Amino acid sequence: MNPIILDGKKVAQSIKNELRVEVERLKEAEITPKLATILVGDDEASKTYVQMKANTCHKLGMESERVFLPEETTTEELLNVIKQLNEDASVHGILLQHPVPSHIDERKAFDTIALEKDVDGVTAHGFGATTFQLGAYPCCTPAAILQIIDHYNLSIEGKHAVVVGRSPILGKPVSMMLLNRNATVTISHSKTENLPEVISQADIIIAAVGRPKFIKGEWLKEGAIVLDAGYNPGNIGDCDYETCYPKSSAITPVPGGVGPVTISMLLKHTVEAAKTQRASVVLN
Amino acid sequence: MNPIILDGKKVAQSIKNELRVEVERLKEAEITPKLATILVGDDEASKTYVQMKANTCHKLGMESERVFLPEETTTEELLNVIKQLNEDASVHGILLQHPVPSHIDERKAFDTIALEKDVDGVTAHGFGATTFQLGAYPCCTPAAILQIIDHYNLSIEGKHAVVVGRSPILGKPVSMMLLNRNATVTISHSKTENLPEVISQADIIIAAVGRPKFIKGEWLKEGAIVLDAGYNPGNIGDCDYETCYPKSSAITPVPGGVGPVTISMLLKHTVEAAKTQRASVVLN
């Protein structure tokens, strides 16, 4: 039997359809959800990313505020910009485009974003609150992976998920989110001994390693579900699609898998933030 | 070959010896590290625990402040007590004894403890900051497990650690800490399918499940390292010591394993907090 192709564009479209309705409703209450993006420096790829995020905002009837800062911005200056956006009641979500120039303390900048505006799920506090299920916004790529799982009704409870990679914005949070959904979770990484054997036990593989075609079909258990969050130059995933496809029962293509859902999750979180912040204003 | 008995009392003693020297030095600089404990209600076991913590403080030359609140204390009242201790510059660490009466929002109370005074590692923010290695104090039982591993020079890099249990103060943080030390980590729990098979692959087992003699020797790989953080009524661990002992290469007894090290870690964190808070006062 051919595997199910997990179509990220379709999942993204269904989220956007819901968001359009919600944004309309919020606007009737005179709230327009607004995402602020901060880009430091002139990286072309990063410029494209923030542009895409702003465009999607506008298509959904949301507002965006784009802050461009020069390459030579100091940590202190960046923190001040973030603090101003934290204070600005018209801004519901804040995204600091990764990576920032290397002289800036990116972690400190991330952790300066107010928890209730951390729609990209990058703060340490947000990671803890997501893990403890306290209602914070999770990182968008892990959230996209869970959204795809839910959209296709894939069963994960009790199943063995192997996450390959342990970054603060992908491997670690997706592990905690799968754990909270009752999967048994193994987190593997560059120091893992005998990775192919570890992967061969997975019912669900999450590839988050950042190496093109790294995971081979021959490592997979027959019928494994493959979610590839890798996005390497040339639109190439972390999984070798050609050999993984025939072994899997469901698989995300690259491009067109996890990627398109990620931006939708960012906007979904921003709309939720607008609703929550509005509710807290009403209560005060 | 007989397994190494991982002697928690010995590990605890060596930490206390170091702390005594550090406390002496801090006192010469007119700083006495002080731990505040809060006990809500009349639970006898909890009373004994806070008493033990206070006694150990005094033996090491540290101060303790014990706050007793009646059973009928509200969440609001408890939060106010915590906020006062957060503000009190003479208090370096705050411990809220778990469990609080069920009408209190324990999570909210934990998360009200200031990050720099969270020496028991219970806040969601502290969990995130520990996971991202930002210098927060980890939960004391996971910290004790790592301390035993280090004391006995057990190698964990690249090894497969299986954690049984996923609580916010034990299973989840110990998983993140082992991951940060380059172990491959599997987190298993009550919904895990075929737990014996999962455990059979572990080079290192962390038992944190709270069920007496739950983990059987026959499930273990020959030569596994067994760290039993269980502490069930009657001083019984989560591992069946009798059958696990002959299969393991190193094992913690219960009692006398992880338990004694846990209080020492609490005091170690309090001394570190006193040093850090003093440094920040000097800087201001």
Side-chain angles (χ1 to χ4, degrees):
Chain A
M1 212 169 73
N2 281 342
I4 303 166
I5 308 283
L6 305 168
D7 181 348
K9 286 185 190 162
K10 210 166 95 181
V11 178
Q13 199 51 59
S14 108
I15 301 169
K16 284 185 210 158
N17 291 344
E18 285 169 26
L19 286 182
R20 237 176 242 114
V21 177
E22 292 212 56
V23 170
E24 206 50 58
R25 213 176 283 158
L26 279 165
K27 281 175 145 176
E28 281 165 19
E30 298 191 353
I31 307 284
T32 306
K34 184 176 178 178
L35 174 69
T37 61
I38 307 170
L39 175 61
V40 188
D42 295 311
D43 183 71
E44 285 303 321
S46 292
K47 271 188 195 167
T48 310
Y49 291 140
V50 297
Q51 181 68 53
M52 278 166 65
K53 287 160 190 170
N55 289 349
T56 317
C57 270
H58 301 151
K59 277 187 202 156
L60 296 177
M62 296 166 62
E63 277 181 31
S64 74
E65 176 172 337
R66 279 187 287 164
V67 180
F68 295 99
L69 299 173
E71 181 77 22
E72 61 272 18
T73 302
T74 63
T75 299
E76 199 59 32
E77 286 165 346
L78 176 56
L79 299 188
N80 284 334
V81 168
I82 294 169
K83 285 174 194 165
Q84 279 169 27
L85 294 170
N86 284 344
E87 297 292 313
D88 182 345
S90 78
V91 169
H92 304 103
I94 300 170
L95 174 129
L96 170 62
Q97 184 64 42
H98 166 83
V100 296
S102 59
H103 65 273
I104 291 179
D105 183 343
E106 185 180 73
R107 174 42 56 196
K108 196 166 181 180
F110 278 155
D111 282 335
T112 299
I113 298 171
L115 185 62
E116 68 273 17
K117 297 193 179 185
D118 179 22
V119 291
D120 199 26
V122 294
T123 62
H125 193 168
F127 169 79
T130 294
T131 302
F132 293 172
Q133 301 179 274
L134 304 175
Y137 306 109
C139 280
C140 294
T141 306
I145 290 169
L146 273 285
Q147 189 76 32
I148 292 170
I149 286 172
D150 288 340
H151 184 96
Y152 283 93
N153 261 315
L154 304 173
S155 156
I156 55 175
E157 175 158 324
K159 297 285 179 286
H160 192 168
V162 173
V163 176
V164 190
R166 53 173 164 171
S167 72
I169 56 165
L170 187 38
K172 280 171 174 161
V174 81
S175 299
M176 292 297 108
M177 291 162 79
L178 290 165
L179 183 65
N180 287 337
R181 299 284 290 274
N182 294 328
T184 301
V185 179
T186 297
I187 314 163
S188 62
H189 45 80
S190 56
K191 305 282 184 193
T192 292
E193 291 172 2
N194 209 351
L195 185 65
E197 196 190 308
V198 172
I199 288 178
S200 74
Q201 291 163 24
D203 302 308
I204 302 150
I205 289 279
I206 313 287
V209 69
R211 291 171 64 178
K213 298 189 182 186
F214 177 68
I215 292 167
K216 313 297 180 199
E218 63 193 82
W219 300 352
L220 299 184
K221 186 199 278 191
E222 195 71 49
I225 295 169
V226 177
L227 292 141
D228 188 347
Y231 191 69
N232 305 291
N235 282 349
I236 294 169
D238 285 349
C239 296
D240 180 29
Y241 191 80
E242 210 175 308
T243 58
C244 288
Y245 174 89
K247 286 288 277 293
S248 68
S249 63
I251 188 166
T252 53
V254 176
V258 176
V261 188
T262 298
I263 289 189
S264 304
M265 295 315 291
L266 175 71
L267 301 183
K268 188 175 157 81
H269 295 164
T270 306
V271 170
E272 284 169 23
K275 286 197 280 190
T276 308
Q277 287 162 40
R278 178 195 166 210
S280 81
V281 169
V282 171
L283 286 170
N284 290 344
Chain B
M1 213 169 73
N2 281 342
I4 303 166
I5 308 283
L6 304 168
D7 181 348
K9 286 186 190 162
K10 211 167 93 182
V11 178
Q13 200 51 59
S14 109
I15 301 168
K16 284 186 210 157
N17 291 344
E18 285 169 26
L19 287 182
R20 236 177 242 113
V21 177
E22 293 212 56
V23 169
E24 206 50 57
R25 213 176 284 157
L26 278 165
K27 281 174 146 179
E28 280 165 20
E30 298 192 350
I31 307 284
T32 305
K34 185 174 176 179
L35 174 70
T37 62
I38 308 169
L39 174 62
V40 188
D42 295 311
D43 182 70
E44 284 304 320
S46 293
K47 271 189 195 167
T48 311
Y49 290 139
V50 296
Q51 181 68 53
M52 279 166 65
K53 286 161 190 170
N55 289 349
T56 317
C57 270
H58 302 150
K59 277 187 202 157
L60 296 177
M62 296 167 61
E63 278 181 30
S64 75
E65 177 173 336
R66 280 187 287 164
V67 180
F68 295 100
L69 298 174
E71 181 77 21
E72 60 273 19
T73 302
T74 63
T75 299
E76 200 60 29
E77 286 164 346
L78 176 56
L79 299 188
N80 285 334
V81 168
I82 294 170
K83 285 173 194 165
Q84 279 169 27
L85 293 171
N86 284 343
E87 297 292 313
D88 182 345
S90 78
V91 169
H92 304 103
I94 301 170
L95 174 130
L96 171 62
Q97 184 64 43
H98 165 84
V100 296
S102 59
H103 66 274
I104 291 179
D105 183 342
E106 186 180 71
R107 174 43 54 197
K108 196 166 182 180
F110 278 154
D111 282 334
T112 299
I113 298 172
L115 185 62
E116 68 274 17
K117 298 193 179 186
D118 179 23
V119 291
D120 199 27
V122 293
T123 61
H125 193 168
F127 169 79
T130 294
T131 302
F132 293 172
Q133 301 179 275
L134 304 175
Y137 306 108
C139 280
C140 293
T141 306
I145 290 168
L146 273 284
Q147 190 75 32
I148 292 171
I149 286 171
D150 288 340
H151 185 97
Y152 284 93
N153 260 315
L154 303 173
S155 156
I156 54 175
E157 175 157 324
K159 297 283 179 286
H160 192 167
V162 173
V163 176
V164 191
R166 53 173 165 172
S167 73
I169 56 164
L170 188 37
K172 280 172 174 161
V174 80
S175 299
M176 293 297 107
M177 291 162 79
L178 291 165
L179 183 64
N180 287 336
R181 299 283 291 273
N182 294 327
T184 302
V185 179
T186 296
I187 314 163
S188 62
H189 45 79
S190 56
K191 305 282 185 193
T192 292
E193 290 173 1
N194 209 351
L195 184 65
E197 197 191 309
V198 172
I199 287 179
S200 74
Q201 291 162 25
D203 301 307
I204 302 151
I205 289 281
I206 312 288
V209 67
R211 291 171 64 178
K213 298 190 181 187
F214 178 67
I215 292 168
K216 313 297 180 199
E218 63 194 81
W219 300 352
L220 299 184
K221 185 201 278 192
E222 195 71 49
I225 294 169
V226 177
L227 291 142
D228 188 348
Y231 191 70
N232 305 290
N235 282 350
I236 294 169
D238 286 349
C239 296
D240 180 30
Y241 192 80
E242 210 175 308
T243 58
C244 288
Y245 174 89
K247 286 288 278 293
S248 67
S249 63
I251 188 167
T252 53
V254 176
V258 175
V261 187
T262 299
I263 290 189
S264 304
M265 295 315 292
L266 175 70
L267 301 184
K268 188 176 158 80
H269 296 165
T270 306
V271 169
E272 285 170 22
K275 287 197 279 188
T276 309
Q277 286 162 42
R278 179 197 166 209
S280 81
V281 169
V282 172
L283 285 171
N284 291 343

